[in-house]
Amino acid sequence: MLTERQLLILQVIIDEFIRYAQPVGSRSLAKKANISFSSATIRNEMADLEELGFIEKTHTSSGRVPSEKGYRFYVDHLLSPEMISQQDLDKIRSLFTERIYELEKIIQNSAKILSDLTEYTAIVLGPTAKENRLKRFQIVPLNDDTAVAIIVTNTGHIEHKLFSFPGTITRSDIEKMVNILNSRLKDVPLIRLREKLFHEVVTLFKHHMENYEYLLQTIADVLNINQHEKLYYGGKMNMLKQPEFRDVEKAQEIFSLIEDEDGVYQLLRKMPFGLNVKIGSENRIQAMEDCSLITATYSIGDDQVGTIAILGPKRMQYSRVISVLNLLSKQLTDSLSRLYDS
Amino acid sequence: MLTERQLLILQVIIDEFIRYAQPVGSRSLAKKANISFSSATIRNEMADLEELGFIEKTHTSSGRVPSEKGYRFYVDHLLSPEMISQQDLDKIRSLFTERIYELEKIIQNSAKILSDLTEYTAIVLGPTAKENRLKRFQIVPLNDDTAVAIIVTNTGHIEHKLFSFPGTITRSDIEKMVNILNSRLKDVPLIRLREKLFHEVVTLFKHHMENYEYLLQTIADVLNINQHEKLYYGGKMNMLKQPEFRDVEKAQEIFSLIEDEDGVYQLLRKMPFGLNVKIGSENRIQAMEDCSLITATYSIGDDQVGTIAILGPKRMQYSRVISVLNLLSKQLTDSLSRLYDS
DNA sequence: TTTAGCACTCTTTATTAATGAGTGCTAAAT
DNA sequence: ATTTAGCACTCATTAATAAAGAGTGCTAAA
């Protein structure tokens, strides 16, 4: 168990290091206003804290730097929630005050604002609905052999795909097909579309149409798209502002991680509900060992859940980032539920 | 006028510098297979070439580096078109062999392939149609007060926007409106939609509907989107591979240029038809003085024109990049015209 | 005209020395 | 029993100096 004084010293060391990215020495600590004992005392305490694994030295006679365990303790026990300035609050509110009715735009802007506010990289995962349903299926012929298929979900999400078809298929064939599809597939959850298509709808096709095989396959392709929700990034380049990434090699490493959308998607998807902080190697990814990832979830109604996240150096302003993410996730949940929950 | 020997020396200096990014000295030149005179002779010639402004020294006793004028001369007079390997050809062909019918996907993949092939940053501007026309206007109600409006163009391009409407407007109002819009606006060029809407359609609305003002405004909003065509990037991070951008400051500068989509759009749009090379300060942009931009245009049929571009260091493999851009722009023009020209 | 030879320049790299921030330990002070 | 002053010691950083090497320009011989 740590004494009050040790807690204080640990906290100040981490605060200072987060701020200045320099190892913290006993002398500079002793000068701080809220510390009233000598540098020698601090040295003794620091030796203890080091023995306990909360801080480290970069070389034998250097100041101390937080260890991963130190950051973890700091995040779990020492964090005082940071007040968010009126200015920043306004920025967040601006997301909702303009009458943007496009969910996608709001989500995208969230990433932008998040990165502006924190100076780190923001990643936002659009809302994944457990139960997204088909609202409408539509085909618009463009000319004699190509058409565009459109699906609209109950959340107003749209997917489309161009396809071509053999001349043997007429416009009335297509119309018939669209009618069948809409009558049978309306309000069916997207995940079930495929099975429904191949079990129920296919028999109707057989009855009412010739040459249905080709179209069936195309439809299956179109319905197959909406695999997973989009990722939005903000401030990708902010990483370069951090002194830990002044080295281009390091920067490239982290960028190739960020650019790997599939990987990032997997990473975010498995984050638990609510707020979560993963520090350095807790992320279990080599390239992220010098990074921390903080995530928060937002939801739209009871069904859709999305994630907002900040990726930054381990030496991150945890307090501020956590406050901002908490606030924004709540605001998103409130406002989006009001706008889109149907 | 330069002598044969001077031409040879200039060419080899630039080739070497492009390859190794190191100032080129007389001794190393003399060792090259195709050079049969001594280093002293080369030194004399280099002094002349420097006086003429084609090459420069980085300090009094350094080897020579091409000047901007040197690169310009090289591009205009010394370039031998590079053979493209079968492997690279296959990569480019792969764009069209898979049956991807989505124009957007093909364009996007072009950027990816272009950056893979060159190891620079690729920027592709989607096809801008002088004469994109409306094919279909559609509204899908999601619930009692929100709906999504969809427009489909003759090129299969889709735009959509969510909007909400007051409860006083019924579904049959909306249906009526959609019918009017489709009958009046079908095949109208996108640019004329607004004027047509406010002159012709508005009178019909007045006759057939009450409370049309609100919807009219919304429709106008929806039709207003498709401002300009999208940009696609490939290999943004390739810049970091170049030794000239090992300095993080420089890298940030160039990245903030790349990320400014509006700026890039303006830049690409004003490029002339066909192939174009802009070297360093020829771009007339401070942040690009160490970069070269090579652009080529592709077209779909007679109407739509787009641009593919490579951004790299001034020390760029001009020969290769020009060959690749020429080839891909031709392939895009051929294949896309075949697929989409209607 | 071309080239060998040489003095000279400037960068790069290694070596050494000086400075200073910081530590750990001991012994005195509280 | 704590706390603190004092001091020897460590290591990174900075500056100064030297040595090596790549390259140039010029002169004079081929």
Side-chain angles (χ1 to χ4, degrees), chain B residues 227-245:
Chain B
Q227 288 294 14
H228 56 93
E229 268 305 326
K230 270 199 202 150
L231 282 177
Y232 302 89
Y233 290 92
K236 270 187 195 176
M237 300 308 163
N238 281 355
M239 279 297 177
L240 291 178
K241 289 184 190 163
Q242 300 302 327
E244 24 274 278
F245 298 104

Side-chain angles (χ1 to χ4, degrees), chain A residues 84 92 95-96 109-111 113-114 124 298 308 322-334:
Chain A
I84 294 174
I92 291 180
L95 254 179
F96 309 105
N109 284 344
S110 297
I113 287 179
L114 221 39
V124 174
Y298 64 92
I308 59 181
I322 289 174
S323 300
V324 170
L325 282 178
N326 260 330
L327 181 67
L328 182 62
S329 67
K330 281 196 180 53
Q331 292 258 344
L332 279 173
T333 300
D334 289 356

Side-chain angles (χ1 to χ4, degrees), chain A residues 19 33 49 70 96 114 118 148 173 178 197-198 220 222 232 254 264 317 320 326:
Chain A
R19 179 124 183 232
L49 285 171
F96 309 105
L114 221 39
T118 59
V148 50
D173 286 335
V178 170
L197 179 69
F198 281 107
V222 177
Y232 303 89
I254 202 69
V264 172
Q317 294 180 50
R320 175 168 174 79
N326 260 330

Side-chain angles (χ1 to χ4, degrees), chain B residues 300-330:
Chain B
I300 309 180
D302 299 327
D303 184 45
Q304 301 180 72
V305 178
T307 305
I308 59 182
I310 288 288
L311 178 69
K314 254 192 320 204
R315 186 187 57 77
M316 191 191 269
Q317 294 180 50
Y318 291 96
S319 174
R320 175 167 175 78
V321 171
I322 288 173
S323 300
V324 170
L325 282 178
N326 260 330
L327 181 66
L328 183 61
S329 67
K330 282 199 180 51

Side-chain angles (χ1 to χ4, degrees), chain B residues 29-144:
Chain B
L29 269 198
K31 282 189 207 134
K32 297 244 86 189
N34 47 350
I35 285 185
S36 53
F37 24 90
S38 76
S39 65
T41 311
I42 295 173
R43 279 201 289 284
N44 289 330
E45 298 286 29
M46 291 207 296
D48 289 350
L49 286 171
E50 183 170 10
E51 213 159 288
L52 292 167
F54 293 113
I55 52 181
E56 295 166 345
K57 285 188 281 194
T58 59
H59 57 87
T60 41
S61 73
S62 78
R64 299 311 206 288
V65 156
S67 69
E68 226 160 77
K69 185 176 171 190
Y71 281 125
R72 173 47 66 196
F73 188 87
Y74 177 82
V75 168
D76 289 344
H77 303 112
L78 299 175
L79 227 51
S80 45
E82 183 171 306
M83 270 291 286
I84 294 175
S85 76
Q86 190 56 45
Q87 212 179 4
D88 293 347
L89 278 174
D90 289 346
K91 255 191 201 161
I92 291 179
R93 293 238 176 77
S94 74
L95 252 180
F96 309 104
T97 49
E98 297 176 48
R99 292 217 139 236
I100 342 175
Y101 276 106
E102 269 191 282
L103 179 57
E104 200 151 319
K105 274 272 163 3
I106 297 181
I107 302 287
Q108 196 174 348
N109 283 344
S110 297
K112 177 84 178 58
I113 287 178
L114 221 39
S115 63
D116 278 359
L117 248 40
T118 58
E119 305 231 279
Y120 301 121
T121 298
I123 312 175
V124 174
L125 182 58
T128 323
K130 277 168 272 161
E131 286 266 304
N132 255 351
R133 288 158 187 280
L134 183 77
K135 194 82 194 179
R136 177 84 68 90
F137 182 84
Q138 195 94 44
I139 289 183
V140 179
L142 298 176
N143 51 44
D144 290 343

Side-chain angles (χ1 to χ4, degrees), chain B residues 22 45 71 82 155 200 217 225 266 288 305 325 329 333:
Chain B
Q22 280 320 310
E45 298 286 29
Y71 281 125
E82 183 171 306
T155 61
E200 285 183 33
Q217 195 47 56
I225 18 189
Q266 296 303 336
M288 279 182 77
V305 178
L325 282 178
S329 67
T333 299

Side-chain angles (χ1 to χ4, degrees), chain B residues 206-313:
Chain B
K206 273 186 197 151
H207 277 134
H208 295 88
M209 297 169 50
E210 297 173 2
N211 298 102
Y212 67 91
E213 291 91 352
Y214 183 89
L215 280 181
L216 185 70
Q217 195 47 56
T218 307
I219 306 298
D221 278 357
V222 178
L223 296 180
N224 209 19
I225 18 189
N226 199 33
Q227 288 294 14
H228 56 93
E229 268 305 326
K230 270 199 202 150
L231 282 177
Y232 302 89
Y233 290 92
K236 270 187 195 176
M237 300 308 163
N238 281 355
M239 279 297 177
L240 291 178
K241 289 184 190 163
Q242 300 302 327
E244 24 274 278
F245 298 104
R246 308 225 98 236
D247 177 19
V248 176
E249 313 292 321
K250 275 257 174 275
Q252 274 184 293
E253 206 177 313
I254 202 69
F255 278 137
S256 62
L257 187 112
I258 293 177
E259 300 271 285
D260 167 22
E261 298 214 358
D262 278 345
V264 172
Y265 174 77
Q266 296 303 336
L267 192 68
L268 289 191
R269 225 176 53 106
K270 71 176 186 222
M271 286 297 178
F273 189 83
L275 192 113
N276 196 269
V277 181
K278 287 243 183 271
I279 299 165
S281 60
E282 291 174 9
N283 288 292
R284 314 224 136 275
I285 291 178
Q286 177 68 46
M288 279 182 77
E289 63 178 342
D290 294 326
C291 296
S292 283
L293 179 71
I294 308 188
T295 59
T297 51
Y298 64 93
S299 40
I300 309 180
D302 299 327
D303 184 45
Q304 301 180 72
V305 178
T307 305
I308 59 182
I310 288 288
L311 178 69

